[in-house]
């Protein structure tokens, strides 16, 4: 088994978070989605900037696809918690 580097681990963690929140939050209000996103990020040990969290929340709320690879590549202030 190969070792996963930090970038790959971040992408995998973010993908899991987005899938988890999207799976049951598509029709929830944005405040609920944001709260669940924050909780899932914390549990996964990953951080996103406020702007990134707002973007993901909006995309999930509008049932749009979240580009996790792009999100992970644009680390900004985000990173492992």
């Amino acid at each position: 088994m190969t070792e996963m580097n930090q970038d790959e681990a971040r992408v995998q963690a973010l993908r899991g978070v987005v899938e988890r929140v999207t799976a049951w939050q598509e029709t929830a209000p944005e405040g609920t989605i944001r709260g669940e996103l924050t909780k899932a990020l914390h549990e996964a040990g990953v951080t996103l900037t406020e702007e990134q969290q707002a973007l993901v929340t909006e995309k999930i709320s509008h049932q749009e696809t979240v580009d996790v690879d792009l999100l992970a590549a644009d680390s900004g202030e985000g990173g492992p918690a």
Side-chain angles (χ1 to χ4, degrees):
M1 185 179 287
T2 61
E3 235 178 87
M4 189 179 303
N5 71 34
Q6 187 173 357
D7 291 338
E8 291 168 338
R10 178 173 167 76
V11 170
Q12 186 176 28
L14 284 170
R15 184 166 283 116
V17 166
V18 169
E19 288 173 358
R20 170 184 160 178
V21 176
T22 300
W24 63 276
Q25 293 296 337
E26 286 181 339
T27 59
E30 283 193 18
T32 301
I33 294 170
R34 180 63 179 260
E36 289 301 319
L37 176 63
T38 300
K39 180 180 173 186
L41 287 168
H42 177 73
E43 290 174 3
V46 178
T47 59
L48 293 176
T49 64
E50 288 296 318
E51 293 81 14
Q52 290 170 320
Q53 288 184 46
L55 175 66
V56 171
T57 299
E58 183 178 332
K59 287 198 171 283
I60 291 172
S61 176
H62 292 108
Q63 299 179 355
E64 297 174 3
T65 301
V66 176
D67 187 338
V68 175
D69 293 320
L70 181 62
L71 186 63
D74 181 23
S75 62
E77 297 172 18

